[in-house]
Amino acid sequence: MPHRPGLLRTAPLQRETTSSLICRISNRYGMEAKVLRSCWQWRNYPPGHDGGGARADAEVLLNTPGRQLLADLCGVEEEVLARALPSWGQEDAKLSAGRNGVPAAAWRTGGAAAGPVAFGCRLCTAGRTGTAVRVVRYAPRWERVCVRHGRWLLDADADEPLEYLDVRGVPEVAAAQRRWAKVARRVARAGAEPERVFALAYAVVARWWEQALHWERETIWPRRLHQVAGGNAGPELERWRIVGRDAVVFPEVVAVADALLDPAMAQLAWTDSGAGRPRALPADGAFCRRLGERAGRKWLGPLAATDYGGPLISWMGAVIRIRRGTGGPPGRDNDPWWLRQDHQPSTMAGQLRVLGKEKKAPGSGTMWRATVPAEQRAQITSLVNSAEEQLIQLRGAQTGSSADVAQHLLRILSYSAGLLEQALQHTVVAAVNAGVPPRDVAQWAKLPPGPLADALKAYQDADDG
C-alpha cells in the first residue's frame, strides 16, 4: 500500500486505543483489519485468550515512521492523535527508532500500556462517526456509564461477548457517576489520589459482594443484578454475579469512598478503638454502624465490623495508628489508602477464566477452588487476615507499666489465637469435604485433644471401616 494521505478522514475518539483506531480506519476503507495492519512490520504476535480468539483490549505501539503512516492513513495530524491516543508516544524495546524509515509496530495489552480498557458505546460512536462500529478506549471504573444511552460499559479484557449492560432500570448507577465527580474534588482537597481512594472503596465493597450471598437482609443488590441481567439472572446466576458486579455495586463504592474521606468518620474509628486507652474494635462500633447507614444498609454495621482481615479494618488500623503515633507494617507504614495485593478484587476476566475451568472439571478433588465453596474460602482468608491485622497492633506495645503492657499483649494474643484456631477448624472441615484423606489432615493439622480431633478420628475410623 502506498504511503500517502488517506482519502477518508477518520478522527480518533478521546482515549481510544490505537488498535481500535486502526480497526475503524480499515472499516472506512472496506477492508479487513489484518490487511491494513500489513502496512507495518510486526515484532510480535497479537495477544489472545486462553481458549483462542483475539483480545479486544489488544493495543499497538508504533515507532516514528509507524506513527507517521497512521496519521497519513486517517488523514489527521500527529498532534491530534497524540492528544487523543494514550499509547501514542509510548516506545518499545522491540521497535527500532525508525532510522531506516520502515513503519514498525508491537502488540501489547491495553492494561499494560495505559490502564483499564473498556468498550465504547456504539450508539455514541454512531452519532460521532456515522457508523456503529466497536470502539475500545481507556476508561477508569468511575467513568463506565454512558448516561445518554443508559449503558454500563464492560471491561474489554475478558473473553465475554457482551460489551455493555443496560442500566436504564437502575438510575442510581448513573447518579453515582455524577456523585463521584464531587467525591474526586474532595480527594484532591485531601491531598490524596482518586485512583487509590476509589481502589480501596472498591475493594471494601467487592468484599461485601462476596459475602452478600449469605446476607438475608440484602435486597438491593439482587434487584439490581436481575435488572442488568435483562430481568432475571436465572440459571446463569454465577456468571451474572461476575459480569454484573461492578455495575451493581458502583453506587456503594462511591458512598464508601465519600465516607472514608470524611474526618468525622475517622474520628468515629478513633473513638471505637478506645482513643487513648486501646481496645479491640467492637462489633457494634459507631464507625461501621454509620458506614452501613451511608451505604443504605442500617443493619450492615456488625457484619462490616467483624470482617477483621479485610481492607476496611486495614484502613481503620492505619487511621488509628496515625492518631496514636505508632508505626505500621513494613513497606507501607500508616498509609490509609495502601491496598494489599490479596485485598484487590479479582477482575471480571480472571473470575470468568476460573469459572470456565471449574465447569470443565466439576467436583475434581485435585483443585481446591473447585471443591471448596467460595464463601468457605473467603471465611478462612478473613480469619487469617484478621489475626494478622490484630497482631500488627502489637508493634511498639511493650512500653508502659507491666500491668498495662501485659493486659494489652495478652488480650490481643488471645484474640488472635482464637481467630487462628477458627481458621484451622474451617480448613480441616474444608479439606475433608474436598476429599483429602482424614489421616493426612490429622497429621498436617497436629490437632490437640478436643472435639475437632475426636470428630476427625471418628471420620477416619468410619472411612477405614
Side-chain angles (χ1 to χ4, degrees), residues 145-407:
V145 182
C146 173
V147 178
R148 175 179 297 177
H149 299 112
R151 294 179 169 185
W152 175 274
L153 305 170
L154 292 170
D155 292 343
D157 62 344
D159 191 4
E160 165 60 39
L162 293 178
E163 295 183 10
Y164 69 90
L165 301 176
D166 188 342
V167 294
R168 288 175 295 178
V170 280
E172 60 267 34
V173 175
Q177 182 162 290
R178 291 189 291 268
R179 182 183 178 189
W180 170 256
K182 298 178 181 179
V183 175
R185 289 194 288 271
R186 290 190 61 193
V187 173
R189 289 195 297 270
E193 301 173 24
E195 294 83 0
R196 302 184 69 211
V197 173
F198 186 90
L200 182 66
Y202 177 50
V204 170
V205 178
R207 192 173 175 95
W208 292 348
W209 172 259
E210 295 303 320
Q211 300 167 354
L213 277 173
H214 306 284
W215 291 352
E216 295 181 359
R217 302 179 67 178
E218 178 57 51
T219 59
I220 299 174
W221 283 343
R223 175 186 62 79
R224 283 189 203 149
L225 183 62
H226 288 301
Q227 188 69 39
V228 302
N232 187 359
E236 290 192 287
L237 178 62
E238 192 171 6
R239 172 181 165 271
W240 277 112
R241 276 184 54 81
I242 295 172
V243 175
R245 178 194 65 185
D246 290 356
V248 170
V249 305
F250 183 53
E252 286 72 24
V253 173
V254 176
V256 169
D258 190 29
L260 297 184
L261 288 165
D262 189 345
M265 294 294 289
Q267 179 61 37
L268 290 179
W270 172 243
T271 302
D272 286 343
S273 73
R277 305 187 65 180
R279 66 182 182 190
L281 293 172
D284 59 347
F287 170 84
C288 287
R289 185 169 62 251
R290 178 62 182 136
L291 184 63
E293 293 171 356
R294 294 181 68 152
R297 294 158 177 80
K298 295 182 179 180
W299 46 266
L300 180 58
L303 296 174
T306 52
D307 184 19
Y308 296 108
L312 180 62
I313 302 300
S314 293
W315 180 90
M316 295 176 68
V319 169
I320 293 166
R321 289 192 297 272
I322 290 172
R323 296 270 184 127
R324 289 182 182 156
T326 58
R332 63 183 173 104
D333 198 24
N334 285 326
D335 179 2
W337 308 115
W338 185 85
L339 185 62
R340 283 170 30 173
Q341 186 173 0
D342 60 326
H343 284 164
Q344 296 175 7
S346 298
T347 64
M348 180 177 76
Q351 291 184 86
L352 288 174
R353 283 195 297 269
V354 171
L355 181 62
K357 290 178 181 178
E358 291 178 352
K359 285 187 174 180
K360 290 179 182 178
S364 168
T366 62
M367 297 294 292
W368 178 265
R369 291 181 60 89
T371 53
V372 180
E375 59 272 14
Q376 198 167 13
R377 299 195 310 269
Q379 193 168 29
I380 294 170
T381 301
S382 175
L383 288 166
V384 172
N385 290 343
S386 299
E388 179 186 5
E389 188 65 34
Q390 289 296 312
L391 292 172
I392 287 174
Q393 306 298 324
L394 296 181
R395 289 185 175 275
Q398 298 192 56
T399 302
S401 70
S402 298
D404 289 343
V405 170
Q407 182 186 49

